[in-house]
Amino acid sequence: MFCSHCGKPMDATARFCPVCGAASQPVVVGPAPFPGQLTRPRYNRMIGGVCAGFALHYGWDLSLVRVVCALLIVLTGVGLIAYLAAWIIIPEAPFVLPQQTGAGSPGSSV
Ligand SMILES: [Zn+2]
């Protein structure tokens, strides 16, 4: 394994290059690695977080999304397949780190 920043060989298990200090892989910090991507949040979920994901992504009312989803499942049966497909296809949102407070973070002067 070689550093993608300086090209020097580095340990495959190392997270940072010993020569230049660059991260060996993208460090995901924050609510979404790709802004605007549809993800299933790790909170506010009942089953798979599919309804919560759609509600958050499109700004819909979460309760309304769940009611419509439940109606689609009960009345048509297609909703169940769609829900399971969405559960598999839509990636989970990354874990959200606690908000940084204090010196160093911009906009923290409250
Ligand atoms: Zn390097």
Side-chain angles (χ1 to χ4, degrees), residues 78-104:
V78 178
L80 183 62
I81 298 168
Y83 189 94
L84 290 176
W87 194 347
I88 294 167
I89 293 168
I90 300 172
E92 275 196 306
F95 286 107
V96 179
L97 297 175
Q99 288 293 318
Q100 299 268 333
T101 52

Side-chain angles (χ1 to χ4, degrees), residues 3 5-8 17 19-22:
C3 174
H5 188 252
C6 67
K8 296 282 194 294
C17 173
V19 179
C20 70

Side-chain angles (χ1 to χ4, degrees), residues 7-61:
K8 296 282 194 294
M10 57 187 285
D11 195 331
T13 58
R15 297 180 60 207
F16 296 95
C17 173
V19 179
C20 70
S24 62
Q25 57 194 14
V27 179
V28 177
V29 175
F34 309 106
Q37 188 190 27
L38 180 60
T39 55
R40 292 182 288 115
R42 293 181 182 272
Y43 54 91
N44 261 354
R45 56 163 57 175
M46 291 195 82
I47 304 172
V50 174
C51 292
F54 276 105
L56 269 178
H57 187 72
Y58 295 105
W60 297 338
D61 184 63

